[in-house]
Amino acid sequence: MDALVPLASASCEVERLHNELLSTIFMFAVQQYNRETDSSTTSPMTISHICHRWRQVALETGDLWSNIVLTFPPSNQQLSRTQTWLLRSTTYPLEILLDFRDPDWDWDEETHQFRGSDMEAVLRLLVPTASRWRSIELLTDTWAPIFAFLLHTRSISGSLAQLKSLHLARCNAYFARKGQIFEPAALGQYLPLFGGEEGVVQRLREVTLTGVHINWLAPPFSNLTKLELKYQAADVMPTVAELTEILVASPNLEVLAIVGCGPRFVSAGPGVSGDPNGPALLGVVRLARLTGFTVGFVDVHDVLQLIALFDLPALCELTLEDVSVSLRHQPPDDVSVLLEWLATSTSRYPLNQLHTLVLRSIHAPCPSFAQLYDACPALHVLRLYDVCDSALEALQHRDEPKIPDILPQLDALFARGKDKGIFFRVVSERGFKQAEFEVSTMIE
């Protein structure tokens, strides 16, 4: 048996490490934490309080302090700590997470404790470091803080030389409901992002706007590799012409997500550009490098118009979600027309090369799922979340020996639902390298 190493001896071994190696170990330790937990903001502080030498190394490692996190409510202590971190991060690029969601919010916009004025106070702290912003993620419940961010960052565009990733979210999915319009109307202006500075917008590579609209063409995004537009009110979504211009200007786009309402096919009012003739004059948008496409819809007929806009020759991961199921208290719609359209449009949606398929809250008869699966012979991963039983039943072996088996390459099945009996029957019959079932918590 090996002798136990005395604690004092182990401590001496650590002391022999060069400062550069110790600094690397600190960075590795911090990066293991989830950015959305308090540990991501306290870990460098903990390291810096272990001993005199560790504190000296930590304070000299500027990158250790470059993840800036502020959460609800932003107390004076948080603001003071953030000021300290900004100083200690020296000249390193900053990853900024501002999560001002209140878990106890009562859905009244007027009573939320984080207001536009609170956002202004946070910006006064952060704006002087704008030249070092590399990514920004801002999560709020209400519109006023988002409006304040758009309004008060209009004059800093010349400083944003390193900004590559932007995620702005008003976390209220109910604005995607059919017929819902934007509120509050008094703050519904189409503000240009960062004052409309073309250079800043063109340097962005990843953009996610959840419940957040901007002046879509002042200037338009370009050179993006990832674009996500989620849970917007229908009247503030970009028009088809605006969305087309953005996509055509981003030939290297790899990930696209449109969840909730799709683009407007007609002009929605004065001052907003649009094409009243719809997509007929626009043709099909070919996204040659797009590998991941997520589409969430509230109306199956609207989503058919949307997906008909695209030609995706490199597609390898497709996600479909019926968003309306979680936004209304009605039985889910039969979306078999969508599944059948995809299964028969393989010239523009090459499902034969699809690696991963994700279906959320999708309901259709068993033959429609079988038709979709038949179009995906190379599928390796299937994820089914809160779908109808038909989606699993369609995976069972076929009795007719002359008919090729369904999804022959499938080796990973993940599902969430109410009844795990069908799942385990399919797994027992088919056998998979990976198979997981999660009991759904959705309220029907």
Side-chain angles (χ1 to χ4, degrees), residues 223-284:
N223 304 313
L224 295 177
T225 58
K226 176 180 178 182
L227 174 63
E228 297 183 329
L229 303 178
K230 300 181 177 181
Y231 301 109
Q232 309 270 11
D235 58 326
V236 294
M237 276 290 284
T239 64
V240 171
E242 290 168 337
L243 179 62
T244 298
E245 185 167 343
I246 292 169
L247 296 177
V248 169
S250 299
N252 295 320
L253 194 69
E254 298 173 359
V255 176
L256 175 64
I258 300 177
V259 179
C261 299
R264 291 176 287 126
F265 283 86
V266 294
S267 178
V272 182
S273 61
D275 182 3
N277 296 311
L281 300 179
L282 299 171
V284 174

Side-chain angles (χ1 to χ4, degrees), residues 31 33 80 84 114 117 196 201 241 331 340 366 405 409-410 429 437:
Q31 290 167 2
Y33 293 105
S80 176
T84 299
F114 188 79
S117 57
V201 176
E340 292 162 9
C366 192
D405 203 5
Q409 302 298 318
L410 190 67
E429 183 181 271
F437 185 87

